Amino acid sequence: MAFALPPLPYAYDALEPHVSARTMKLHHDKHHATYVEKLNKLVAGTALEQCSLEQVIMTTKGDARATQTKIFNNAAQVWNHSFFWNCMTPKPAAPKASLRQRIEKSFGGSDKFNKSFKTAAVEQFGSGWAWLVESEGELKVKSTSNAVPPFVDGDKVLLTCDLWEHAYYLDYQNKRDEFVTIFLEKLVNWDFVASRLAQKQESAA
Ligand code: MN3
Protein backbone atom coordinates (compact mmCIF):
# COMPACT_ATOMS: atom_id res chain seq x y z
CA MET A 1 0.00 0.00 0.00
CA ALA A 2 1.30 3.38 -0.96
CA PHE A 3 -0.02 5.28 2.02
CA ALA A 4 -0.29 4.11 5.63
CA LEU A 5 -2.55 5.15 8.48
CA PRO A 6 -0.29 6.73 11.12
CA PRO A 7 -1.04 5.67 14.70
CA LEU A 8 -2.52 8.23 17.10
CA PRO A 9 0.26 10.02 18.99
CA TYR A 10 -1.52 9.16 22.30
CA ALA A 11 -4.00 6.60 23.67
CA TYR A 12 -7.64 6.68 22.56
CA ASP A 13 -8.73 7.84 26.00
CA ALA A 14 -5.89 10.37 26.49
CA LEU A 15 -8.04 13.40 25.68
CA GLU A 16 -10.89 12.47 28.02
CA PRO A 17 -13.04 14.03 29.34
CA HIS A 18 -12.80 16.57 26.51
CA VAL A 19 -12.90 14.10 23.64
CA SER A 20 -14.12 10.59 24.42
CA ALA A 21 -12.25 7.39 23.59
CA ARG A 22 -15.32 6.37 21.57
CA THR A 23 -15.01 9.47 19.38
CA MET A 24 -11.24 9.00 18.96
CA LYS A 25 -11.58 5.32 18.08
CA LEU A 26 -14.27 5.96 15.46
CA HIS A 27 -12.53 9.06 14.14
CA HIS A 28 -9.11 7.44 13.74
CA ASP A 29 -9.91 3.76 13.11
CA LYS A 30 -12.93 4.34 10.85
CA HIS A 31 -12.94 7.84 9.32
CA HIS A 32 -9.20 8.42 8.97
CA ALA A 33 -8.57 4.77 8.03
CA THR A 34 -11.25 4.90 5.32
CA TYR A 35 -9.65 7.94 3.69
CA VAL A 36 -6.35 6.01 3.58
CA GLU A 37 -8.04 2.92 2.09
CA LYS A 38 -9.90 4.92 -0.56
CA LEU A 39 -6.76 6.88 -1.49
CA ASN A 40 -4.74 3.70 -1.92
CA LYS A 41 -7.42 2.21 -4.20
CA LEU A 42 -7.62 5.39 -6.29
CA VAL A 43 -3.86 5.76 -6.86
CA ALA A 44 -3.12 2.05 -7.35
CA GLY A 45 -1.21 1.55 -10.59
CA THR A 46 -0.80 5.30 -11.25
CA ALA A 47 2.30 7.50 -11.00
CA LEU A 48 0.81 9.09 -7.86
CA GLU A 49 1.52 5.89 -5.97
CA GLN A 50 5.19 6.87 -5.87
CA CYS A 51 4.54 10.44 -4.70
CA SER A 52 4.51 11.89 -1.21
CA LEU A 53 1.08 12.69 0.23
CA GLU A 54 1.82 16.41 -0.17
CA GLN A 55 2.79 15.88 -3.83
CA VAL A 56 -0.47 14.00 -4.47
CA ILE A 57 -2.43 16.90 -2.97
CA MET A 58 -0.54 19.56 -4.93
CA THR A 59 -0.79 17.57 -8.19
CA THR A 60 -4.55 16.98 -8.00
CA LYS A 61 -5.69 20.32 -6.55
CA GLY A 62 -7.99 22.28 -8.83
CA ASP A 63 -8.23 19.35 -11.28
CA ALA A 64 -11.96 19.05 -12.00
CA ARG A 65 -11.84 15.52 -13.42
CA ALA A 66 -13.93 13.24 -11.18
CA THR A 67 -11.16 10.78 -10.29
CA GLN A 68 -8.65 13.55 -9.59
CA THR A 69 -11.18 15.31 -7.33
CA LYS A 70 -11.70 12.08 -5.40
CA ILE A 71 -7.96 11.57 -5.06
CA PHE A 72 -7.53 15.16 -3.85
CA ASN A 73 -10.34 14.87 -1.29
CA ASN A 74 -9.11 11.59 0.17
CA ALA A 75 -5.42 12.56 0.15
CA ALA A 76 -6.18 15.91 1.79
CA GLN A 77 -8.34 14.23 4.44
CA VAL A 78 -5.53 11.76 5.19
CA TRP A 79 -3.11 14.67 5.61
CA ASN A 80 -5.54 16.84 7.62
CA HIS A 81 -6.32 14.10 10.14
CA SER A 82 -2.68 13.12 10.65
CA PHE A 83 -1.98 16.80 11.28
CA PHE A 84 -5.03 17.29 13.52
CA TRP A 85 -4.02 14.50 15.94
CA ASN A 86 -0.72 16.28 16.50
CA CYS A 87 -2.49 19.58 17.15
CA MET A 88 -3.91 18.12 20.37
CA THR A 89 -2.19 16.85 23.50
CA PRO A 90 -3.27 15.42 26.83
CA LYS A 91 -0.68 17.73 28.45
CA PRO A 92 -1.23 21.19 27.00
CA ALA A 93 1.03 24.08 27.95
CA ALA A 94 0.72 27.77 27.10
CA PRO A 95 2.58 29.04 24.03
CA LYS A 96 6.23 29.86 24.77
CA ALA A 97 7.50 33.43 24.51
CA SER A 98 8.37 33.65 20.81
CA LEU A 99 5.05 32.17 19.66
CA ARG A 100 3.16 34.24 22.22
CA GLN A 101 4.75 37.35 20.74
CA ARG A 102 3.72 36.35 17.22
CA ILE A 103 0.12 35.84 18.42
CA GLU A 104 0.23 39.17 20.22
CA LYS A 105 1.54 40.92 17.11
CA SER A 106 -0.96 39.38 14.67
CA PHE A 107 -4.11 39.19 16.81
CA GLY A 108 -3.52 41.47 19.81
CA GLY A 109 -3.29 38.59 22.29
CA SER A 110 -4.43 35.03 22.89
CA ASP A 111 -8.01 35.98 23.85
CA LYS A 112 -8.44 37.78 20.54
CA PHE A 113 -6.86 34.87 18.69
CA ASN A 114 -9.26 32.44 20.40
CA LYS A 115 -12.22 34.63 19.51
CA SER A 116 -11.16 34.89 15.88
CA PHE A 117 -10.52 31.12 15.59
CA LYS A 118 -13.84 30.30 17.24
CA THR A 119 -15.78 32.68 14.99
CA ALA A 120 -14.18 31.19 11.88
CA ALA A 121 -14.96 27.67 13.12
CA VAL A 122 -18.57 28.36 14.02
CA GLU A 123 -19.28 30.32 10.85
CA GLN A 124 -17.79 27.70 8.52
CA PHE A 125 -20.95 26.41 6.80
CA GLY A 126 -21.12 22.63 6.74
CA SER A 127 -18.08 20.38 6.94
CA GLY A 128 -14.58 21.78 6.95
CA TRP A 129 -11.59 22.82 9.00
CA ALA A 130 -10.51 25.89 11.02
CA TRP A 131 -6.83 26.84 10.74
CA LEU A 132 -4.07 29.00 12.12
CA VAL A 133 -1.63 29.68 9.28
CA GLU A 134 1.38 31.82 8.53
CA SER A 135 0.54 33.71 5.36
CA GLU A 136 2.92 36.29 3.87
CA GLY A 137 4.73 36.56 7.19
CA GLU A 138 1.58 37.14 9.25
CA LEU A 139 -0.32 34.69 11.46
CA LYS A 140 -3.91 34.42 10.21
CA VAL A 141 -7.06 32.45 11.01
CA LYS A 142 -8.80 30.75 8.10
CA SER A 143 -11.49 28.17 7.52
CA THR A 144 -11.85 25.83 4.55
CA SER A 145 -14.66 23.66 3.19
CA ASN A 146 -14.62 19.89 3.19
CA ALA A 147 -11.02 18.69 2.72
CA VAL A 148 -8.95 21.68 1.57
CA PRO A 149 -5.71 22.35 3.52
CA PRO A 150 -4.54 25.99 3.16
CA PHE A 151 -1.02 24.94 2.13
CA VAL A 152 -2.44 24.42 -1.39
CA ASP A 153 -2.61 28.23 -1.57
CA GLY A 154 0.91 28.68 -0.20
CA ASP A 155 0.11 29.18 3.48
CA LYS A 156 2.18 27.49 6.16
CA VAL A 157 -0.26 25.46 8.24
CA LEU A 158 0.27 25.72 12.01
CA LEU A 159 -2.89 24.44 13.72
CA THR A 160 -6.22 22.94 12.73
CA CYS A 161 -9.52 21.87 14.24
CA ASP A 162 -11.76 19.34 12.50
CA LEU A 163 -15.25 20.82 12.01
CA TRP A 164 -16.89 17.75 10.49
CA GLU A 165 -19.71 16.54 12.73
CA HIS A 166 -17.98 13.17 13.23
CA ALA A 167 -15.29 15.07 15.18
CA TYR A 168 -17.66 16.20 17.93
CA TYR A 169 -21.20 14.90 17.56
CA LEU A 170 -20.95 11.99 20.03
CA ASP A 171 -19.53 14.27 22.72
CA TYR A 172 -21.07 17.67 21.97
CA GLN A 173 -24.00 16.87 19.62
CA ASN A 174 -24.85 20.01 17.62
CA LYS A 175 -22.75 22.34 19.83
CA ARG A 176 -19.77 22.97 17.58
CA ASP A 177 -18.99 26.17 19.53
CA GLU A 178 -18.53 24.18 22.77
CA PHE A 179 -16.23 21.70 21.07
CA VAL A 180 -14.10 24.48 19.57
CA THR A 181 -13.94 26.30 22.92
CA ILE A 182 -12.72 23.13 24.66
CA PHE A 183 -10.26 22.49 21.82
CA LEU A 184 -8.76 25.97 22.29
CA GLU A 185 -8.78 25.98 26.08
CA LYS A 186 -7.87 22.36 26.92
CA LEU A 187 -6.32 20.56 23.98
CA VAL A 188 -4.07 22.66 21.74
CA ASN A 189 -0.47 21.44 21.50
CA TRP A 190 1.30 24.82 21.31
CA ASP A 191 4.74 23.19 21.24
CA PHE A 192 3.68 21.47 18.02
CA VAL A 193 2.45 24.81 16.61
CA ALA A 194 5.82 26.39 17.46
CA SER A 195 7.69 23.51 15.79
CA ARG A 196 5.58 24.00 12.65
CA LEU A 197 6.52 27.68 12.46
CA ALA A 198 10.15 26.61 12.11
CA GLN A 199 9.44 24.18 9.23
CA LYS A 200 9.07 24.78 5.51
CA GLN A 201 5.60 24.69 4.04
CA GLU A 202 4.11 21.59 2.39
CA SER A 203 3.52 23.21 -0.99
CA ALA A 204 7.29 23.53 -1.32
CA ALA A 205 7.68 19.74 -0.89
MN1 MN3 B 1 -12.50 14.09 10.80
Side-chain angles (χ1 to χ4, degrees):
M1 284 296 162
F3 298 100
L5 175 68
L8 278 181
Y10 33 71
Y12 293 114
D13 63 357
L15 305 181
E16 288 194 339
H18 311 304
V19 181
S20 67
R22 191 168 164 233
T23 290
M24 291 305 291
K25 208 162 176 31
L26 278 167
H27 202 170
H28 178 268
D29 294 7
K30 303 293 179 193
H31 291 277
H32 195 181
T34 300
Y35 294 125
V36 174
E37 274 168 37
K38 284 188 179 166
L39 175 62
N40 281 325
K41 276 191 191 140
L42 287 162
V43 300
T46 75
L48 293 173
E49 217 174 10
Q50 311 303 325
C51 293
S52 70
L53 191 54
E54 290 83 2
Q55 285 168 337
V56 172
I57 293 166
M58 295 308 288
T59 303
T60 55
K61 72 159 184 166
D63 189 325
R65 288 175 292 170
T67 305
Q68 300 303 102
T69 302
K70 278 185 199 162
I71 292 172
F72 174 84
N73 285 336
N74 283 284
Q77 284 294 76
V78 172
W79 194 95
N80 294 344
H81 283 88
S82 302
F83 187 77
F84 176 53
W85 309 137
N86 284 300
C87 289
M88 299 185 287
T89 173
K91 291 179 182 164
K96 294 197 174 72
S98 61
L99 178 56
R100 207 171 58 236
Q101 283 159 12
R102 293 290 307 268
I103 291 170
E104 181 71 39
K105 186 166 171 271
S106 294
F107 299 101
S110 64
D111 287 352
K112 285 183 180 158
F113 160 72
N114 282 357
K115 202 172 167 212
S116 171
F117 192 93
K118 199 173 151 184
T119 300
V122 169
E123 289 184 356
Q124 171 59 39
F125 187 77
S127 296
W129 298 80
W131 306 86
L132 172 64
V133 302
E134 186 185 46
S135 177
E136 294 166 343
E138 282 290 303
L139 299 193
K140 291 177 185 168
V141 162
K142 296 197 170 177
S143 68
T144 58
S145 289
N146 298 321
V148 181
F151 71 76
V152 301
D153 295 321
D155 294 340
K156 187 190 281 183
V157 173
L158 307 176
L159 174 72
T160 195
C161 183
D162 190 341
L163 305 176
W164 289 57
E165 284 187 345
H166 64 234
Y168 60 87
Y169 214 86
L170 288 175
D171 300 326
Y172 298 90
Q173 292 77 53
N174 59 320
K175 290 168 256 168
R176 182 190 283 183
D177 59 330
E178 279 186 25
F179 167 62
V180 176
T181 300
I182 291 288
F183 172 84
L184 289 167
E185 291 178 1
K186 308 284 188 188
L187 295 170
V188 173
N189 186 348
W190 287 109
D191 288 343
F192 177 71
V193 175
S195 76
R196 291 287 308 174
L197 255 181
Q199 289 172 23
K200 67 173 184 175
Q201 62 197 41
E202 274 62 35
S203 52

